[in-house]
Amino acid sequence: MAGSSTDEADAPRAHDSAADATAPGAPASGTEGPAATLPLPVPAMESDDAPPEADAVSTIGGAVTGTGDEPAPVGGPRAGAEAGAGSGNGRRKGRRRGTHRGATKPTRPRRRRRRSIIGAAAAGMVVVLGVLGLVALASDDGRPQAPKPSTAGPRPDTGPVPDPAGQPAAPEPTPPGPAAPGVRWPTGTNANPPLDIRAWEAWTGRPTDVATVFTVRNNWQHIAYSDWPFADYRPEVYAGQLSVAQPLFPQSGDERTCARGHYDQHWAAFGQTLTRNGRPDAIVRLGWEYNGNWFWWYPRDTATWRTCFQHAATAIRSTAPGVRIEFNVSAHRDRMPNGDDVWAAYPGDEFVDIVSSDTYDSYPPSLTPELFEQQCIVPSGTCTVAAFARAHGKQFAVPEWGLVRADRHGGGDNPLYIEKMHDLFERNRDILAYEAYFNAAEATNVRSSLINPPLHPNAAQRYLELFGATATNRA
């Protein structure tokens, strides 16, 4: 869930019922699963949380030029080598032979003067050419550039590209007009059993492409070893993709123990659980919404947290190499509870396949297009997340999005929010791994429900017009 109030008590939360539930047939709380014995590579611990190094630059004739167009990954300097600059004195050896026909042969002093004039002119030409070259080189000021639109696909998102320090650059102009109705990307909804994903499919008139689920997370047995909820989504039962949200450790754990590798055997066992249930290619949303304070796995020490994430990702891949690891940001939270910038927690491109955003219509609600765009381009905004994914060569996802009950923080029945999210998906569909509407009706939740019950009838109608089978078939 993507609540964003600084007052945790009044933040509406999109949470799953698995948080405190006991899975069907699962052992009692507090039991631990067997330890795996597979040896795992251990990422090195980071010694500090210093900002990434500055981009490499070359100085030619006093002008500083950048070495590339893309921002460096957070947590490290830009990869790649610089092209060196050649050098020379610009003088031509030898002298002109002979004289113009009919001219009086000059005396020796005049010949030296002519050579001096010619040399001065040649030197002047070298200076002019050098200045022109430096102007051309200096036109690239070395700053991160916004990603260029793909010629083979739709226009990229209008969000800014974060620079290596995590601060967004100026956004591109918003494309005129809304996107055409229809779904041209993987789409789905939350689907924890016994929630019937088939009801959502019947309502939209088309099958889902992805089911977003949550494990019971009160101990390692439920997190890593239990077949629930995966057994309900074996490939022969559900043909779509499975996305599973996982904490980095139960509430009894901590990031320091995780960073030392003491939980690696549990995560290796989790990879085996996925494989056993026919889901070795699942999407695993590790430590989701880490930048909020409503879950216990938010970073205390950011460098330690990153190392913890790296351990978990490496261990899961050791037994399920086909999984896709997802790094998930909660919108409307530009700084983590420890005060660090939201992007300081990024564990590095090597450990991430998908960069995603959980976003809800709240804090404040997007009651106008301008408000939506303003929130979308803040450091934790969904447009910024999409731009970050694009700049790092990753896929983008929105595993949770939805309306929020009408109160002082949520927009209630707001069709505009549905429209703007559809436009965002369309702009980024060339890198969109999936998106899933979070449909919840519990009084303690965000109350985003479009069906069973239809709490937001106007927004529900707009969803069908844009995301339903009729619109998709017409597109």
Side-chain angles (χ1 to χ4, degrees), residues 128-148:
V128 171
L129 292 176
V131 169
L132 292 176
L134 288 175
V135 169
L137 287 171
S139 62
D140 179 4
D141 59 7
R143 291 177 297 177
Q145 301 293 316
K148 297 177 176 60

Side-chain angles (χ1 to χ4, degrees), residues 380-400:
S380 62
T382 305
C383 294
T384 303
V385 174
F388 184 94
R390 189 180 295 279
H392 286 252
K394 304 299 178 183
Q395 286 190 296
F396 165 61
V398 183
E400 296 180 39

Side-chain angles (χ1 to χ4, degrees), residues 313-357:
T314 301
I316 296 169
R317 287 171 172 173
S318 72
T319 53
V323 301
R324 286 187 283 170
I325 303 296
E326 182 174 323
F327 178 77
N328 178 244
V329 179
S330 178
H332 314 285
R333 282 278 181 141
D334 295 342
R335 292 203 169 273
M336 298 181 289
N338 67 5
D340 287 351
D341 180 85
V342 61
W343 292 103
Y346 186 65
D349 289 345
E350 178 185 353
F351 304 96
V352 174
D353 301 295
I354 300 171
V355 181
S356 71
S357 170

Side-chain angles (χ1 to χ4, degrees), residues 5 109 113 127 144 167 228 249 298 314 339 341 346 395 411 423 425:
S5 170
R113 187 186 314 168
V127 170
Q167 299 302 316
W228 189 90
F249 39 80
Y298 61 83
T314 301
D341 180 85
Y346 186 65
Q395 286 190 296
D423 291 350
F425 298 146

Side-chain angles (χ1 to χ4, degrees), residues 177-180 185 418-428:
W185 55 82
I418 303 293
E419 295 172 5
K420 297 301 291 183
M421 291 301 295
H422 180 272
D423 291 350
L424 187 148
F425 298 146
E426 175 65 32
R427 294 197 305 264
N428 289 282

Side-chain angles (χ1 to χ4, degrees), residues 78-283:
R78 178 179 310 164
E82 294 182 304
S87 62
N89 58 18
R91 297 178 58 184
R92 295 173 60 91
K93 295 185 178 180
R95 64 183 181 182
R96 183 178 178 181
R97 297 183 179 180
T99 59
H100 184 69
R101 183 177 295 181
T104 303
K105 186 174 181 180
T107 63
R108 182 170 298 174
R110 291 177 60 86
R111 185 181 300 118
R112 281 199 292 267
R113 187 186 314 168
R114 179 179 299 172
R115 285 202 299 268
S116 299
I117 293 172
I118 293 172
M125 183 64 69
V126 170
V127 170
V128 171
L129 292 176
V131 169
L132 292 176
L134 288 175
V135 169
L137 287 171
S139 62
D140 179 4
D141 59 7
R143 291 177 297 177
Q145 301 293 316
K148 297 177 176 60
S150 169
T151 57
R155 184 185 186 283
D157 182 64
T158 59
V161 180
D163 69 15
Q167 299 302 316
E172 298 175 7
T174 301
V183 175
R184 291 163 284 272
W185 55 82
T187 184
T189 188
N190 55 310
N192 257 33
L195 184 65
D196 187 2
I197 195 172
R198 303 306 180 193
W200 183 268
E201 294 176 336
W203 179 64
T204 59
R206 53 167 172 70
T208 54
D209 304 294
V210 63
T212 298
V213 299
F214 304 78
T215 59
V216 176
R217 48 186 179 265
N218 55 1
N219 59 49
W220 279 114
Q221 174 60 38
H222 291 148
I223 292 171
Y225 301 88
S226 175
D227 289 336
W228 189 90
F230 315 113
D232 289 50
Y233 286 95
R234 293 177 182 272
E236 61 270 21
V237 176
Y238 180 70
Q241 180 68 51
L242 193 66
S243 171
V244 53
Q246 284 282 39
L248 283 169
F249 39 80
Q251 198 160 7
S252 60
D254 65 86
E255 65 191 23
R256 289 176 298 175
T257 305
C258 174
R260 294 188 187 105
H262 295 316
Y263 301 151
D264 288 2
Q265 74 273 17
H266 298 306
W267 288 119
F270 174 64
Q272 294 169 339
T273 298
L274 291 175
T275 302
R276 182 171 65 248
N277 286 278
R279 292 293 178 180
D281 60 346
I283 298 167

